[in-house]
Amino acid sequence: MITRQRLAAGAFALLAALTAGLGTAGPAAADADEPAQPSPKVELVLDVSGSMRARDIDGKSRMAAAKQAFNEVLDATPDEVQLGIRTLGANYRGDNRKTGCKDTELLYPVAELDRAGRTDAKTAVATLAPTGWTPIGPTLLKAADDLKDDNTERSRRIVLISDGEDTCQPLDPCEVARKIAAEGIHLTVDTLGLVPDAKTRDQLSCIAEATGGTYTSVRHTDELSGRVKQLVDRAADPVATPVAAKGAAQCSDAPQLKAGLYTDREKFGEHRWYRVDVEPGKELRASVSVAADRAVHQDYGVLLRASTERGREIVRGAEAGDGRTDVISTGLRYPKPEQDSDDSDGSASEPIAETVCLRVSNSFSAPASVKTAPGLPVELNIDVVDAPDEASDVASFGLGNGWWLLGTLILTGFVAGLVWGWVSRWRFAVWRTN
């Protein structure tokens, strides 16, 4: 006898065989002939200056938090990523500024990590102790050299973790970052500030902006390890690199966006507009994240609103926070219905795309002492895909089709009332008969 389990197993096996056969004969076979993408290079740059002794991250020192985060990141680094580690301020304890500003060392060379490599890198990090100066500018120049090679298509990323300003002026780290960006070697610098003050935050934000990177303020160990893991993973997926897009004050002046990841800056309480064309039979999927890269008041929110060019709201997504996270996100979906194929005269008509206006708003506020410029980092993800069938689209339930639920509840209540009335009459008749 054929049981349901055996029948299901046979069906799955047949499906797998058909999928494998189609993949071999179709586009997958062609993909195998395409040249492999060059593996990305990432260098983690860690500040080991004396201020890293401060014990203000989850009850332990900043250095201890950084070591724990590095161990977790080394375990999670994808095999295809070439990873290296460079330090600044790790060796020289003296007062000679000239010597202190040369204190940068390649702790672990940029290479793919096997099991032995991960162990060696962890061992090297374990030996570090907070020591000297903070030569951020000179270290960035050395780190850029560590990542250079002849492959112009390779993705390169520096992740700089520091708790203070550069102490080696007049070599301005922002100018160094601009120089690196001008070389056109596909190098992005992301910065993370450990319990930063305002000056540190400004400098690290400037470095990141100069190369199209991101800045993140960190006050907890899990935030540090989570963000570094995210950045390393992003290097392994270059498609996720955001493109700069400047939103407008009204939809008519807004930039036209296609599917992709975009980055912008938005002031406290500001509204910014963007436009996306959605053809009939397609579905717009959009999400936005706003990061608090400076001190803000506890309660805040973000709104993503889709409307027509005439201002009629189509759908919205909103989210609120209360100070427990540095990033807040929301999203929405809008399926554009299929267009009738014939005009009134019987001739075929061309599909007409609808321009959807997207408004990004935030309700962040901050103390008077906090600078409002530059604005808060905004990351906007846009995707336009084939709209799913209405019968199978769970998300469309929330886009104006809630009356189906109301109708179902009314019908269920009506049937239940009839049944209960019939049962009550039957019991009453039996009672009278007895």
Side-chain angles (χ1 to χ4, degrees):
M1 181 177 179
I2 300 178
T3 64
R4 291 184 179 180
Q5 290 84 351
R6 289 180 180 176
L7 183 59
F12 279 119
L14 178 59
L15 179 60
L18 289 174
T19 304
L22 289 173
T24 303
D31 293 343
D33 297 331
E34 294 181 1
Q37 291 294 322
S39 57
K41 287 186 174 183
V42 180
E43 186 157 283
L44 306 181
V45 177
L46 179 60
D47 181 353
V48 196
S49 59
S51 58
M52 290 288 284
R53 299 190 191 95
R55 303 182 65 86
D56 52 7
I57 296 185
D58 300 330
K60 54 190 173 186
S61 71
R62 300 173 184 177
M63 192 71 244
K67 287 182 177 181
Q68 179 180 331
F70 268 49
N71 285 338
E72 295 176 6
V73 170
L74 288 167
D75 284 334
T77 298
D79 293 336
E80 66 272 20
V81 173
Q82 297 185 37
L83 187 81
I85 302 174
R86 177 172 282 277
T87 61
L88 60 95
N91 300 308
Y92 180 67
R93 298 179 180 274
D95 297 327
N96 188 299
R97 182 178 177 278
K98 185 176 181 180
T99 303
C101 289
K102 294 179 180 179
D103 185 10
T104 177
E105 178 187 9
L106 184 60
L107 190 70
Y108 188 83
V110 180
E112 292 183 3
L113 293 175
D114 54 16
R115 178 178 294 181
R118 296 176 201 269
T119 301
D120 292 343
K122 288 181 181 180
T123 301
V125 170
T127 63
L128 297 175
T131 302
W133 295 63
T134 312
I136 294 178
T139 301
L140 287 176
L141 289 173
K142 291 287 188 181
D145 287 338
D146 296 338
L147 297 173
K148 286 180 180 177
D149 58 31
D150 295 333
N151 194 323
T152 58
E153 300 300 321
R154 190 188 304 277
S155 170
R156 298 170 176 84
R157 188 176 294 270
I158 294 173
V159 180
L160 170 63
I161 302 162
S162 180
D163 70 337
E165 289 182 275
D166 180 277
T167 54
C168 293
Q169 299 287 348
L171 184 60
D172 185 353
C174 287
E175 290 301 324
V176 171
R178 295 187 185 103
K179 178 183 176 182
I180 291 173
E183 293 179 353
I185 58 173
H186 301 286
L187 175 56
T188 302
V189 181
D190 297 290
T191 57
L192 293 90
L194 302 183
V195 198
D197 56 26
K199 291 183 178 180
T200 300
R201 187 183 301 113
D202 289 345
Q203 187 173 85
L204 294 179
S205 295
C206 179
I207 292 170
E209 286 180 21
T211 62
T214 59
Y215 166 74
T216 307
S217 176
V218 175
R219 297 182 181 275
H220 300 284
T221 307
D222 57 347
E223 292 176 351
L224 177 59
S225 59
R227 183 56 174 161
V228 177
K229 286 178 187 176
Q230 186 182 53
L231 293 171
V232 172
D233 289 341
R234 176 171 290 182
D237 184 12
V239 176
T241 302
V243 176
K246 188 174 182 179
Q250 54 189 7
C251 183
S252 58
D253 300 327
Q256 193 80 31
L257 304 183
K258 297 181 179 180
L261 188 63
Y262 299 89
T263 183
D264 198 358
R265 288 269 177 177
E266 188 171 88
K267 295 179 182 178
F268 291 96
E270 188 180 15
H271 308 290
R272 288 220 165 186
W273 291 87
Y274 311 85
R275 292 188 297 166
V276 182
D277 283 344
V278 183
E279 295 181 354
K282 299 291 186 179
E283 180 177 88
L284 169 64
R285 300 180 181 181
S287 63
V288 65
S289 298
V290 180
D293 62 350
R294 65 206 74 178
V296 297
H297 287 144
Q298 187 171 11
D299 297 314
Y300 45 78
V302 61
L303 169 68
L304 179 61
R305 177 176 178 265
S307 63
T308 65
E309 290 184 285
R310 295 185 178 182
R312 179 180 62 83
E313 181 173 301
I314 302 172
V315 65
R316 65 168 58 192
E319 188 59 62
D322 59 2
R324 291 180 293 179
T325 179
D326 283 338
V327 179
I328 185 168
S329 306
T330 189
L332 57 82
R333 294 174 63 178
Y334 168 54
K336 171 69 175 172
E338 288 281 2
Q339 181 177 315
D340 292 338
S341 58
D342 295 328
D343 290 333
S344 57
D345 59 0
S347 61
S349 60
E350 291 291 332
I352 300 175
E354 176 185 5
T355 297
V356 176
C357 300
L358 290 177
R359 190 186 77 184
V360 176
S361 309
N362 77 80
S363 59
F364 280 90
S365 61
S369 58
V370 174
K371 293 182 179 180
T372 59
L376 299 170
V378 174
E379 197 166 86
L380 183 62
N381 187 27
I382 302 294
D383 201 5
V384 180
V385 301
D386 292 333
D389 296 333
E390 291 185 5
S392 61
D393 183 16
V394 179
S396 67
F397 188 80
L399 302 177
N401 293 331
W403 61 272
W404 283 104
L405 175 60
L406 180 60
T408 302
L409 291 175
I410 292 174
L411 181 60
T412 302
F414 179 71
V415 173
L418 288 177
V419 172
W420 179 252
W422 180 82
V423 171
S424 298
R425 292 182 63 184
W426 174 76
R427 292 178 62 188
F428 180 73
V430 170
W431 176 76
R432 290 190 63 184
T433 301
N434 295 333

